[in-house]
Short mmCIF file of all heavy atoms in Angstrom, two decimals:
data_model
loop_
_atom_site.label_atom_id
_atom_site.label_comp_id
_atom_site.label_asym_id
_atom_site.label_seq_id
_atom_site.Cartn_x
_atom_site.Cartn_y
_atom_site.Cartn_z
N ARG T 155 147.09 25.23 83.16
CA ARG T 155 145.69 25.12 83.56
C ARG T 155 144.87 24.42 82.50
O ARG T 155 143.98 23.62 82.77
CB ARG T 155 145.14 26.52 83.81
CG ARG T 155 143.70 26.53 84.26
CD ARG T 155 143.23 27.96 84.50
NE ARG T 155 141.79 28.05 84.26
CZ ARG T 155 140.88 27.61 85.10
NH1 ARG T 155 141.23 27.06 86.23
NH2 ARG T 155 139.59 27.70 84.82
N PRO T 235 135.74 25.49 77.38
CA PRO T 235 136.06 26.93 77.47
C PRO T 235 137.55 27.22 77.61
O PRO T 235 137.98 28.31 77.32
CB PRO T 235 135.32 27.38 78.74
CG PRO T 235 134.37 26.30 79.06
CD PRO T 235 134.95 25.04 78.52
N GLY T 293 124.61 28.99 86.22
CA GLY T 293 125.47 29.21 87.38
C GLY T 293 126.89 29.59 87.03
O GLY T 293 127.69 29.85 87.91
N ARG T 294 127.23 29.62 85.77
CA ARG T 294 128.61 29.92 85.38
C ARG T 294 128.82 31.42 85.23
O ARG T 294 127.87 32.17 85.09
CB ARG T 294 128.93 29.23 84.06
CG ARG T 294 128.95 27.73 84.20
CD ARG T 294 130.33 27.33 84.56
NE ARG T 294 130.40 26.11 85.32
CZ ARG T 294 131.45 25.29 85.23
NH1 ARG T 294 132.44 25.56 84.41
NH2 ARG T 294 131.49 24.21 85.98
N SER T 295 130.07 31.83 85.22
CA SER T 295 130.31 33.27 85.16
C SER T 295 131.38 33.65 84.16
O SER T 295 132.11 34.60 84.36
CB SER T 295 130.67 33.79 86.54
OG SER T 295 131.76 33.07 87.02
N GLY T 296 131.50 32.91 83.08
CA GLY T 296 132.39 33.31 82.00
C GLY T 296 131.62 33.17 80.70
O GLY T 296 130.69 32.35 80.61
N ILE T 297 131.99 33.94 79.68
CA ILE T 297 131.22 33.92 78.44
C ILE T 297 131.18 32.51 77.87
O ILE T 297 130.12 31.91 77.66
CB ILE T 297 131.84 34.86 77.39
CG1 ILE T 297 131.96 36.27 77.94
CG2 ILE T 297 131.02 34.86 76.11
CD1 ILE T 297 132.74 37.20 77.05
N ARG T 298 132.37 31.96 77.64
CA ARG T 298 132.40 30.64 77.01
C ARG T 298 132.08 29.53 78.00
O ARG T 298 131.70 28.44 77.60
CB ARG T 298 133.76 30.43 76.33
CG ARG T 298 133.89 31.30 75.07
CD ARG T 298 135.00 30.81 74.18
NE ARG T 298 136.30 31.17 74.68
CZ ARG T 298 137.32 30.31 74.75
NH1 ARG T 298 137.16 29.06 74.38
NH2 ARG T 298 138.49 30.71 75.19
N ASP T 299 132.27 29.82 79.31
CA ASP T 299 131.82 28.84 80.32
C ASP T 299 130.33 28.59 80.19
O ASP T 299 129.87 27.45 80.16
CB ASP T 299 132.10 29.38 81.73
CG ASP T 299 133.54 29.15 82.14
OD1 ASP T 299 134.12 28.17 81.67
OD2 ASP T 299 134.06 29.97 82.92
N ILE T 300 129.58 29.71 80.10
CA ILE T 300 128.12 29.59 79.99
C ILE T 300 127.75 28.90 78.68
O ILE T 300 126.96 27.95 78.65
CB ILE T 300 127.47 30.98 80.07
CG1 ILE T 300 127.68 31.58 81.45
CG2 ILE T 300 125.98 30.90 79.74
CD1 ILE T 300 127.15 32.98 81.61
N GLY T 345 131.13 35.90 71.10
CA GLY T 345 131.65 36.01 72.46
C GLY T 345 133.17 36.00 72.46
O GLY T 345 133.80 36.70 73.26
N ALA T 348 134.62 39.41 71.83
CA ALA T 348 134.59 40.21 73.06
C ALA T 348 135.68 39.75 74.01
O ALA T 348 136.36 40.57 74.64
CB ALA T 348 133.22 40.10 73.72
N GLU T 349 135.86 38.45 74.09
CA GLU T 349 136.88 37.91 74.99
C GLU T 349 138.27 38.37 74.56
O GLU T 349 139.10 38.76 75.38
CB GLU T 349 136.80 36.39 74.98
CG GLU T 349 137.87 35.74 75.83
CD GLU T 349 137.87 34.23 75.70
OE1 GLU T 349 136.80 33.67 75.41
OE2 GLU T 349 138.93 33.62 75.91
N ARG T 350 138.52 38.35 73.25
CA ARG T 350 139.82 38.79 72.75
C ARG T 350 140.05 40.26 73.11
O ARG T 350 141.15 40.66 73.45
CB ARG T 350 139.90 38.65 71.23
CG ARG T 350 140.15 37.27 70.74
CD ARG T 350 141.51 36.77 71.10
NE ARG T 350 142.59 37.48 70.44
CZ ARG T 350 143.85 37.08 70.47
NH1 ARG T 350 144.18 36.00 71.12
NH2 ARG T 350 144.79 37.77 69.86
N MET T 351 138.99 41.05 72.99
CA MET T 351 139.16 42.48 73.25
C MET T 351 139.40 42.73 74.73
O MET T 351 140.18 43.59 75.11
CB MET T 351 137.94 43.25 72.76
CG MET T 351 137.83 43.29 71.25
SD MET T 351 136.59 44.43 70.66
CE MET T 351 135.08 43.64 71.13
N GLY T 352 138.70 41.98 75.57
CA GLY T 352 138.83 42.21 77.00
C GLY T 352 140.01 41.47 77.61
O GLY T 352 140.46 41.81 78.69
N GLY T 353 140.48 40.44 76.91
CA GLY T 353 141.61 39.69 77.42
C GLY T 353 141.22 38.57 78.37
O GLY T 353 142.07 37.84 78.84
N SER T 354 139.94 38.45 78.67
CA SER T 354 139.51 37.35 79.53
C SER T 354 138.05 37.08 79.23
O SER T 354 137.31 37.96 78.81
CB SER T 354 139.65 37.73 81.00
OG SER T 354 138.88 36.85 81.79
N GLN T 355 137.65 35.82 79.45
CA GLN T 355 136.26 35.49 79.15
C GLN T 355 135.37 35.72 80.36
O GLN T 355 134.18 35.50 80.31
CB GLN T 355 136.15 34.05 78.67
CG GLN T 355 136.61 33.03 79.67
CD GLN T 355 135.64 31.88 79.77
OE1 GLN T 355 134.49 32.02 79.40
NE2 GLN T 355 136.10 30.75 80.27
N LYS T 356 135.95 36.15 81.48
CA LYS T 356 135.13 36.34 82.68
C LYS T 356 134.15 37.50 82.49
O LYS T 356 134.51 38.54 81.96
CB LYS T 356 136.03 36.65 83.87
CG LYS T 356 136.36 35.42 84.70
CD LYS T 356 137.06 35.82 85.97
CE LYS T 356 136.16 35.75 87.16
NZ LYS T 356 135.79 34.41 87.57
N LEU T 357 132.91 37.30 82.95
CA LEU T 357 131.92 38.37 82.84
C LEU T 357 132.37 39.55 83.70
O LEU T 357 132.89 39.37 84.80
CB LEU T 357 130.56 37.88 83.34
CG LEU T 357 129.90 36.76 82.55
CD1 LEU T 357 128.57 36.41 83.17
CD2 LEU T 357 129.72 37.16 81.11
N GLY T 358 132.17 40.75 83.19
CA GLY T 358 132.51 41.93 83.97
C GLY T 358 133.86 42.52 83.61
O GLY T 358 134.16 43.64 84.00
N VAL T 359 134.67 41.78 82.86
CA VAL T 359 135.97 42.34 82.49
C VAL T 359 135.80 43.38 81.40
O VAL T 359 136.30 44.49 81.50
CB VAL T 359 136.92 41.21 82.00
CG1 VAL T 359 138.19 41.81 81.42
CG2 VAL T 359 137.25 40.29 83.17
N ILE T 360 135.05 43.03 80.37
CA ILE T 360 134.80 43.99 79.30
C ILE T 360 133.32 44.33 79.31
O ILE T 360 132.48 43.46 79.57
CB ILE T 360 135.24 43.43 77.93
CG1 ILE T 360 135.01 44.48 76.85
CG2 ILE T 360 134.54 42.13 77.60
CD1 ILE T 360 135.63 44.13 75.54
N LYS T 361 133.02 45.59 79.08
CA LYS T 361 131.63 46.04 79.12
C LYS T 361 131.33 46.93 77.91
O LYS T 361 132.24 47.50 77.33
CB LYS T 361 131.39 46.88 80.38
CG LYS T 361 131.30 46.10 81.67
CD LYS T 361 131.10 47.11 82.79
CE LYS T 361 131.17 46.51 84.17
NZ LYS T 361 130.35 45.42 84.47
N LYS T 425 122.26 37.17 80.81
CA LYS T 425 123.32 37.39 81.80
C LYS T 425 124.59 37.84 81.08
O LYS T 425 125.25 38.79 81.50
CB LYS T 425 123.54 36.07 82.55
CG LYS T 425 124.47 36.15 83.73
CD LYS T 425 124.43 34.81 84.47
CE LYS T 425 125.62 34.70 85.40
NZ LYS T 425 125.63 33.40 86.11
N ILE T 426 124.91 37.17 79.99
CA ILE T 426 126.08 37.58 79.21
C ILE T 426 125.84 38.94 78.57
O ILE T 426 126.66 39.84 78.63
CB ILE T 426 126.41 36.55 78.10
CG1 ILE T 426 126.66 35.18 78.70
CG2 ILE T 426 127.60 37.01 77.28
CD1 ILE T 426 126.94 34.11 77.67
N SER T 429 126.05 41.97 80.96
CA SER T 429 127.33 42.36 81.55
C SER T 429 128.40 42.63 80.49
O SER T 429 129.30 43.40 80.74
CB SER T 429 127.80 41.29 82.54
OG SER T 429 127.99 40.09 81.87
N VAL T 430 128.30 42.00 79.34
CA VAL T 430 129.36 42.20 78.35
C VAL T 430 128.99 43.25 77.31
O VAL T 430 129.78 44.12 76.97
CB VAL T 430 129.70 40.87 77.64
CG1 VAL T 430 130.71 41.09 76.52
CG2 VAL T 430 130.24 39.87 78.65
N PHE T 431 127.76 43.18 76.82
CA PHE T 431 127.41 44.02 75.67
C PHE T 431 126.76 45.33 76.06
O PHE T 431 126.90 46.32 75.36
CB PHE T 431 126.53 43.22 74.70
CG PHE T 431 127.28 42.11 74.05
CD1 PHE T 431 127.31 40.84 74.60
CD2 PHE T 431 128.02 42.34 72.91
CE1 PHE T 431 128.03 39.82 74.02
CE2 PHE T 431 128.76 41.32 72.31
CZ PHE T 431 128.75 40.07 72.86
N SER T 436 133.96 49.77 78.84
CA SER T 436 135.19 49.78 79.61
C SER T 436 135.89 48.45 79.43
O SER T 436 135.28 47.47 78.99
CB SER T 436 134.90 50.02 81.10
OG SER T 436 134.28 48.88 81.65
N GLY T 437 137.14 48.42 79.80
CA GLY T 437 137.90 47.18 79.83
C GLY T 437 138.32 46.65 78.47
O GLY T 437 138.74 45.52 78.36
N LYS T 439 140.81 46.21 75.81
CA LYS T 439 142.25 46.40 75.65
C LYS T 439 142.66 46.46 74.19
O LYS T 439 143.64 47.08 73.84
CB LYS T 439 143.00 45.27 76.35
CG LYS T 439 142.80 45.32 77.86
CD LYS T 439 143.62 44.25 78.55
CE LYS T 439 143.18 44.11 80.00
NZ LYS T 439 142.47 42.85 80.24
N GLU W 769 147.18 35.41 85.51
CA GLU W 769 145.93 35.75 86.19
C GLU W 769 144.92 34.63 86.04
O GLU W 769 144.21 34.27 86.97
CB GLU W 769 145.39 37.06 85.62
CG GLU W 769 144.00 37.41 86.04
CD GLU W 769 143.03 37.40 84.87
OE1 GLU W 769 143.39 36.91 83.77
OE2 GLU W 769 141.93 37.89 85.05
N GLU W 770 144.90 34.06 84.85
CA GLU W 770 143.91 33.03 84.58
C GLU W 770 144.24 31.76 85.36
O GLU W 770 143.35 31.05 85.80
CB GLU W 770 143.90 32.75 83.08
CG GLU W 770 142.53 32.33 82.61
CD GLU W 770 142.55 32.02 81.15
OE1 GLU W 770 143.45 32.51 80.44
OE2 GLU W 770 141.66 31.29 80.73
N VAL W 771 145.52 31.48 85.51
CA VAL W 771 145.91 30.28 86.23
C VAL W 771 145.43 30.37 87.67
O VAL W 771 144.93 29.40 88.24
CB VAL W 771 147.44 30.10 86.17
CG1 VAL W 771 147.85 28.92 87.04
CG2 VAL W 771 147.88 29.89 84.74
N LYS W 772 145.55 31.55 88.23
CA LYS W 772 145.14 31.73 89.63
C LYS W 772 143.66 31.42 89.79
O LYS W 772 143.23 30.86 90.78
CB LYS W 772 145.43 33.17 90.06
CG LYS W 772 146.65 33.24 90.98
CD LYS W 772 146.85 34.65 91.48
CE LYS W 772 147.83 35.41 90.61
NZ LYS W 772 147.69 36.85 90.70
N ARG W 773 142.89 31.83 88.79
CA ARG W 773 141.45 31.58 88.85
C ARG W 773 141.25 30.10 88.91
O ARG W 773 140.54 29.44 89.46
CB ARG W 773 140.81 32.15 87.58
CG ARG W 773 139.32 31.99 87.48
CD ARG W 773 138.80 32.93 86.42
NE ARG W 773 139.18 32.48 85.09
CZ ARG W 773 138.42 31.71 84.31
NH1 ARG W 773 137.26 31.32 84.75
NH2 ARG W 773 138.82 31.35 83.12
#
Side-chain angles (χ1 to χ4, degrees):
Chain T
R155 181 179 151 76
R294 293 271 152 149
S295 55
I297 304 172
R298 288 197 283 133
D299 278 330
I300 294 177
E349 177 186 332
R350 281 293 293 190
M351 290 191 290
S354 163
Q355 61 135 339
K356 264 189 105 70
L357 296 181
V359 171
I360 182 169
K361 285 179 188 306
K425 188 173 164 181
I426 302 178
S429 61
V430 175
F431 292 92
S436 70
K439 294 184 192 110
Chain W
E769 169 245 12
E770 211 181 338
V771 175
K772 255 185 265 157
R773 180 163 71 93

